[in-house]
Amino acid sequence: MPRNRKRAIGCVALFSSLMVAMAGCGSQTETSTTEPGSGTAASNLTGTIKINGSSTVQPIANAVKEEFAKLYPDVTVSVDGKGTGNGFKMFQDKETDISDASRPIKPGEFEACKENGVEFIEMPVAYDGLTIVVHPKNDWVDTLTVDQLKQIFVGADAAKKWSDVDSSWPEETIEIFSPGTGSGTYDYFREVVIGKSEAALRNDMNLNEDDNVLVNGVAGNPYAIGFFGVAYYEESKDKLKAAKIVNPKDEQAYLPTPENIASGAYAPFSRPLFIYVSTASLPRAEVATFVSYFLDNAPTLCERVGYVRLPDEIMQRAMNNLDAENAGTHYIDADGNSRSGAVADIYQPENLTK
């Protein structure tokens, strides 16, 4: 999506393939982009950018970091994936510049940001399909309903054996691998499966913030089940099997393919992914340049790592918010209540709460 955007990014000089046209140190500067991987430019832009949060978003952030480093080798970008909730805590405490998130910010997190004087710009960057996986030798699970997921994952009296879910299934213990409680994927799964109920997910699951640990856990036990972002399934599909999920609205079962995720047919587990950028960090040239590069290239790079691009219209709204520095969230209303729904409906200018 080549384009120009005026942004104060400070004094940036290029020495090979020209990526940034410098209008003078401290002045407004125009930036442009090329396809990721095609540029070999080097720049004297320096600085450090700290990113933490969702391990689901981490593959996208890492892909952006790798391509960005080819153009700006003297900018150090650290990307960590301690989970969406943990990432927001660090963001509130001004320890990071960018918070990756696999769910929108919660009211309590928004209030904590305001109390600490942290303003941010909220930007969706890709679609994910939260993927429920089993071992390839599991020949009894092809599709799962939300009710069956409740039987497996919810409460102290949840199914202990597969036969507890369906009497025709093996009388073998179910071993469960789940993201940790600081993960946005854990929160999203809980919200979808439990809803507004006071119930909790069972407490005997194998929890880990590292999705690769979850992948290996399910791959190592024929009677295991787990869930994480579709990118981790895509890179490990030789040793995992994705369950089709029955859409509660049309009662049809769908796999988390790019088409089903983008159309919303893979419901209720299709979801947007986000980055939250501190407005206090944006005056730094390296941060402003990186975030612009992130938005310009997220559609291509998210597909490279297994996610699904957002419609151009939504990416353009994110770019407009960045250019205008429209701080706040679209997912919490003026009364402090969370909004839910399709990203195209929620991420609208009139829903911005400062």
Side-chain angles (χ1 to χ4, degrees), residues 13-31:
L14 300 177
F15 298 117
S16 57
S17 302
L18 188 60
M19 296 296 295
V20 177
M22 188 178 111
C25 187
S27 65
Q28 292 284 311
T29 307
E30 290 189 351
T31 65

Side-chain angles (χ1 to χ4, degrees), residues 60 126 234 258 297-310:
I60 305 174
E234 286 293 330
N297 295 289
T300 301
L301 293 175
C302 79
E303 290 182 329
R304 183 185 297 180
V305 297
Y307 293 115
V308 178
R309 67 171 59 204
L310 289 165

Side-chain angles (χ1 to χ4, degrees), residues 260-275:
N260 290 339
I261 293 170
S263 69
Y266 184 70
F269 291 114
S270 295
R271 58 175 177 167
L273 305 176
F274 302 87
I275 60 172

